[in-house]
């Protein structure tokens, strides 16, 4: 499956078009949305040479923005030598076909552009599978408008005009069946991905290792944060959707807490529903996480709206019941008076390291399930309890003196089981204040 192609040259020239209408609701365009679309074009390797924002009570069913505005766009395309027109709104297959004919250049919508970026970014087999599935699901309803040789042919009842009787199955029907087969095969392969993830998840749950998932708007600094706290070497550049494939690392938060922490794909407004569906094999990990770190780019003037978009997608993925810690990133770039005072949130700079210690303490408090670092004094006739400690706790040292002195990090269940048999024990609880 080839991705939707921008031109082979590095700088494809694009004109951006958006429609502002109350009928479109969340799909309506404004100046901020067009700016974000411009950043997406830059990410895809193109160059924006002009933009037009149209306001209408409702979209034109034929040309979406109206014939007069189409002429204005066509004039801009000619003057700027543009090779591509990108709409910020989602277009129907017939609208894409009509606009392509009227404008004389390739026309794609925001969803098509995001799919193209994802196709460029996907590196792992899992990521490529998910993007390919989303592309086929996006392509299927648009087949009829993409190639003239796929036009329908009249039936074989004899009632069609002379010369219209086809040889049998049309190319359109053949391609549709082929794509349906590909979609079914990709879904089977992604189901295997789900099965493997489920097995890994059960193993983590058996070992009682908490899972922390980093979520947030694209380019909020999620990869930079993961690098800062785990030493991971993930490429972290200042561009949208720089990281697509999920990265998981083991993180020691404190003496009593180890967690598995995962970076996830960035969210964005108007994220194509095909991508949300295709990436559920990855994103369903959110549903089983013990804690979400919602990273918010405080340096972006639209940070509040971006946070709402992420909250909405978390609800859509049925992960809104999971405890969430808001992490306000890039505080070094924000005006000091604008720093949020929200209770239970943390302000950090993942790039400079400011606030990382506070973040780790907050994670430890959120996931505190009574695990404690203790020194136990076992009588020698209870030495058999050591075997259980090695299995169920994290034993740091064992010394054989008058008693068996064991330093271990123990969950509350283990402490309750072993407490009646110890001659003495000392708890080492860290002061968080």
């Amino acid at each position: 499956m080839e991705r939707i192609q921008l031109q082979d040259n590095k700088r494809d020239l694009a004109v951006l078009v958006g429609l502002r209408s109350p009928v479109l609701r969340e799909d309506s365009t404004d100046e901020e949305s067009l700016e974000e679309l411009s950043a997406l074009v830059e990410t895809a390797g193109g160059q924006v040479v002009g933009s037009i924002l149209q306001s209408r009570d409702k979209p034109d069913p034929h040309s979406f923005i109206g014939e007069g505005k189409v002429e204005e766009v066509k004039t801009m395309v000619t003057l700027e030598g543009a090779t591509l027109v990108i709409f910020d709104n989602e277009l129907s297959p017939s609208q894409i076909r009509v606009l392509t004919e009227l404008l004389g250049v390739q026309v794609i919508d925001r969803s098509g552009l995001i799919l193209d970026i994802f196709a460029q970014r996907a590196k792992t087999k899992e990521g490529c599978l998910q993007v390919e599935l989303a592309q086929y699901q996006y392509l299927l309803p648009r087949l009829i408008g993409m190639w003239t040789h796929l036009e329908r042919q009249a039936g074989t009842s004899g009632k069609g005009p002379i010369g219209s009787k086809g040889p049998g199955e049309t190319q359109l029907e053949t391609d549709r069946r082929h794509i349906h087969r590909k979609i079914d095969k990709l879904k089977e392969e992604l189901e295997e991905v789900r099965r493997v993830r489920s097995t890994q998840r059960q193993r983590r749950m058996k070992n009682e290792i908490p899972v922390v998932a980093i979520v947030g708007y694209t380019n909020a600094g999620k990869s930079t944060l993961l690098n800062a706290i785990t030493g991971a070497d993930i490429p972290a550049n200042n561009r949208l959707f720089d990281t697509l494939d999920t990265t998981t690392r083991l993180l020691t938060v404190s003496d009593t807490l180890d967690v598995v922490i995962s970076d996830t794909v960035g969210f964005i407004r108007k994220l194509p529903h095909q991508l949300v569906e295709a990436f559920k094999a990855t994103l369903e990990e959110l549903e089983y996480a013990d804690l979400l770190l919602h990273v918010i780019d405080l340096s972006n003037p639209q940070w509040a709206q971006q946070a709402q978009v992420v909250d909405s997608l978390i609800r859509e993925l049925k992960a809104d019941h999971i405890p969430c810690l808001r992490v306000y990133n890039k505080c070094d770039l924000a005006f000091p008076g604008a720093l949020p005072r929200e209770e239970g949130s943390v302000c950090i700079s993942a790039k400079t390291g400011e606030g990382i210690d506070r973040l780790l303490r907050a994670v430890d408090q959120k996931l505190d399930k009574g695990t404690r670092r203790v020194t136990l004094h076992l009588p020698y006739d209870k030495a058999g309890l050591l075997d259980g400690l090695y299995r169920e706790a994290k034993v740091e040292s064992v010394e054989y003196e008058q008693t068996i002195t064991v330093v271990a990090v123990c969950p509350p269940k283990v402490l309750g089981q072993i407490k009646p048999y110890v001659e003495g024990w000392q708890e080492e609880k860290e002061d968080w204040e």
Side-chain angles (χ1 to χ4, degrees):
M1 172 64 184
E2 294 183 0
R3 64 183 180 85
I4 301 166
Q5 286 287 337
L6 298 179
Q7 300 296 324
D8 290 336
N9 55 312
K10 176 71 174 173
R11 307 299 284 177
D12 199 343
L13 305 181
V15 170
L16 309 185
V17 183
L19 178 62
R20 176 163 43 202
S21 171
V23 176
L24 295 175
R25 298 183 181 178
E26 293 183 0
D27 195 39
S28 183
T29 298
D30 53 24
E31 288 80 2
E32 289 77 17
S33 185
L34 275 180
E35 284 181 16
E36 188 173 79
L37 184 65
S38 178
L40 286 169
V41 173
E42 290 290 329
T43 298
Q47 179 182 347
V48 176
V49 293
S51 63
I52 293 176
L53 179 59
Q54 163 75 321
S55 295
R56 288 175 62 101
D57 291 336
K58 59 182 180 180
D60 183 278
H62 181 65
S63 62
F64 193 69
I65 55 175
E67 304 295 335
K69 213 65 177 178
V70 168
E71 286 300 317
E72 186 180 332
V73 174
K74 188 173 182 178
T75 301
M76 181 177 287
V77 167
T78 303
L79 290 174
E80 300 294 342
T83 55
L84 182 65
V85 174
I86 305 175
F87 278 74
D88 190 49
N89 317 85
E90 186 165 351
L91 301 176
S92 70
S94 62
Q95 287 167 340
I96 289 180
R97 183 174 69 253
V98 168
L99 287 165
T100 300
E101 291 172 356
L102 293 175
L103 296 172
V105 294
Q106 184 184 7
V107 175
I108 63 174
D109 57 15
R110 185 186 180 100
S111 295
L113 178 62
I114 292 175
L115 283 170
D116 185 90
I117 293 169
F118 271 54
Q120 293 180 40
R121 294 282 180 270
K123 295 293 186 292
T124 64
K125 180 182 177 183
E126 179 184 344
C128 291
L129 283 174
Q130 292 174 124
V131 171
E132 190 175 358
L133 175 59
Q135 284 183 310
Y136 276 123
Q137 290 173 331
Y138 176 81
L139 175 64
L140 188 59
R142 291 165 173 79
L143 271 180
I144 195 169
M146 295 188 71
W147 301 286
T148 55
H149 74 279
L150 299 185
E151 291 175 355
R152 291 182 181 276
Q153 298 182 20
T156 57
S157 62
K159 296 181 180 179
I162 294 174
S164 65
K165 185 171 183 282
E169 187 174 48
T170 65
Q171 182 65 43
L172 173 61
E173 291 163 340
T174 303
D175 282 14
R176 275 180 174 160
R177 195 172 71 249
H178 171 69
I179 288 180
H180 276 298
R181 281 200 304 266
K182 287 287 293 183
I183 287 175
D184 290 341
K185 184 175 183 296
L186 288 166
K187 284 182 175 178
E188 287 177 9
E189 293 185 50
L190 283 173
E191 195 56 44
E192 177 64 16
V193 171
R194 249 193 201 98
R195 189 191 64 77
V196 171
R197 285 186 174 274
S198 177
T199 302
Q200 293 171 340
R201 191 160 51 239
Q202 289 172 2
R203 191 178 300 125
R204 289 198 303 259
M205 292 170 70
K206 181 180 178 182
N207 294 333
E208 297 185 343
I209 301 177
V211 177
V212 177
I214 303 176
V215 299
Y217 210 78
T218 182
N219 204 34
K222 300 181 297 299
S223 297
T224 306
L225 175 59
L226 189 65
N227 287 340
I229 60 180
T230 67
D233 190 21
I234 307 169
N237 300 306
N238 185 24
R239 59 183 181 183
L240 305 183
F241 296 118
D242 190 58
T243 304
L244 177 58
D245 299 308
T246 301
T247 303
T248 301
R249 294 288 186 272
L250 186 66
L251 170 66
T252 299
V253 177
S254 68
D255 288 343
T256 61
L257 180 64
D258 288 332
V259 301
V260 170
I261 187 163
S262 296
D263 186 15
T264 60
V265 62
F267 296 150
I268 197 170
R269 70 177 86 182
K270 305 179 188 177
L271 191 66
H273 65 88
Q274 297 96 342
L275 275 177
V276 176
E277 285 297 316
F279 273 73
K280 276 189 175 175
T282 300
L283 294 174
E284 73 174 3
E285 285 289 302
L286 300 185
E287 191 178 343
Y288 297 95
D290 298 284
L291 178 66
L292 302 181
L293 296 185
H294 180 177
V295 181
I296 300 169
D297 178 4
L298 204 57
S299 68
N300 192 306
Q302 301 293 317
W303 68 263
Q305 292 88 333
Q306 291 180 353
Q308 287 178 358
V309 170
V310 175
D311 289 338
S312 176
L313 283 166
I314 288 174
R315 284 194 297 273
E316 184 179 339
L317 294 165
K318 299 179 181 177
D320 51 323
H321 64 284
I322 298 168
C324 183
L325 176 63
R326 289 204 166 203
V327 182
Y328 292 96
N329 190 26
K330 307 184 186 180
C331 65
D332 54 320
L333 302 178
F335 182 67
L339 296 180
R341 306 296 178 187
E342 181 183 343
E343 187 177 353
S345 66
V346 182
C347 289
I348 69 163
S349 170
K351 188 173 183 179
T352 66
E354 180 185 348
I356 295 296
D357 290 342
R358 289 195 302 272
L359 172 61
L360 294 179
R361 290 200 295 269
V363 169
D364 197 29
Q365 286 178 324
K366 285 276 188 182
L367 295 175
D368 182 16
K369 296 180 180 178
T371 301
R372 294 291 176 260
R373 187 172 185 270
V374 295
T375 300
L376 305 170
H377 302 285
L378 293 175
Y380 278 86
D381 60 345
K382 300 297 180 184
L385 294 173
L386 268 175
D387 186 48
L389 281 173
Y390 276 112
R391 280 198 319 270
E392 304 291 339
K394 182 180 175 182
V395 177
E396 295 182 352
S397 67
V398 178
E399 293 183 7
Y400 294 90
E401 300 169 330
Q402 292 182 343
T403 59
I404 304 174
T405 304
V406 183
V407 178
V409 177
C410 298
K413 180 179 71 173
V414 175
L415 281 176
Q417 291 171 347
I418 203 170
K419 210 169 176 181
Y421 306 106
V422 299
E423 292 186 354
W425 69 305
Q426 176 184 354
E427 178 181 330
E428 297 182 21
K429 187 174 179 181
E430 195 167 350
D431 182 9
W432 297 118
E433 297 300 320

